[in-house]
Amino acid sequence: MQVLPEDVVEAATGVIRAAVARGMTLVTAESCTGGLVAGALTAVAGSSAAVEAGFVTYSNAAKTRLIGVDAAIIAAHGAVSEETARAMAQGARARGAGDLAVSITGIAGPGGGSADKPVGLVHFATAGPRGVRHREVRFGDLGRDGVRHAAVLTALEMLQEQLADD
């Protein structure tokens, strides 16, 4: 069994506490992190009071089939884009029947990058009662594990920020 890094445990614990205090449920839609955010949240004791669902939508087809991302969005903008991240968060919130959703789509590496979309580029979105928020981060080539770790922390931070605002 892999032990979660302390910074991830601390961030996930804060998110769960805030969600429970506000009576809000959480949903995740993950591509490049492959379920790590959902795993971090559910590692926290008492998370069943806040975590509603988690979707690992690694392929474009899964993004469309499981959380309703319009294939035309992916075709026009790519899987790693603001538009896809926003659609993932909105679709996950709707399909997962949660109050607040977070989505992550990016290029963890080591390959797969391009000049426009380099390794380390990750798009995030949250969808909640106050709408959809997006963040683009270019972590750089931190290595696959490094990009995924940084992406998990960013997603948890975005959830915490939205919970503080709602």
Side-chain angles (χ1 to χ4, degrees):
M1 181 168 82
Q2 183 179 3
V3 177
L4 295 171
E6 187 58 37
D7 54 350
V8 171
V9 172
E10 185 178 318
T13 299
V15 169
I16 293 298
R17 286 182 181 155
V20 169
R22 288 162 184 74
M24 295 181 74
T25 55
L26 307 172
V27 179
T28 63
E30 303 179 63
S31 187
C32 65
T33 50
L36 293 174
V37 175
L41 291 170
T42 59
V44 177
S47 61
S48 61
V51 178
E52 186 66 31
F55 298 94
V56 176
T57 56
Y58 208 69
S59 72
N60 292 344
K63 289 172 180 63
T64 299
R65 185 177 64 255
L66 298 176
I67 56 175
V69 175
D70 188 333
I73 291 174
I74 298 171
H77 304 283
V80 180
S81 65
E82 175 177 351
E83 294 81 2
T84 298
R86 286 176 174 273
M88 286 173 66
Q90 291 170 311
R93 183 176 183 224
R95 300 268 174 105
D99 298 311
L100 177 60
V102 65
S103 69
I104 305 117
T105 183
I107 304 166
S114 67
D116 290 339
K117 296 182 180 183
V119 170
L121 171 65
V122 183
H123 286 270
F124 304 85
T126 54
R130 294 185 186 217
V132 180
R133 299 177 186 176
H134 167 262
R135 184 177 300 169
E136 174 185 321
V137 181
R138 292 175 183 257
F139 294 112
D141 191 352
L142 305 175
R144 188 171 183 81
D145 288 343
V147 170
R148 287 163 45 105
H149 178 252
V152 168
L153 288 174
T154 300
L156 293 170
E157 177 184 293
M158 288 182 70
L159 284 171
Q160 186 69 49
E161 289 169 1
Q162 189 138 346
L163 287 163
D165 290 347
D166 288 333

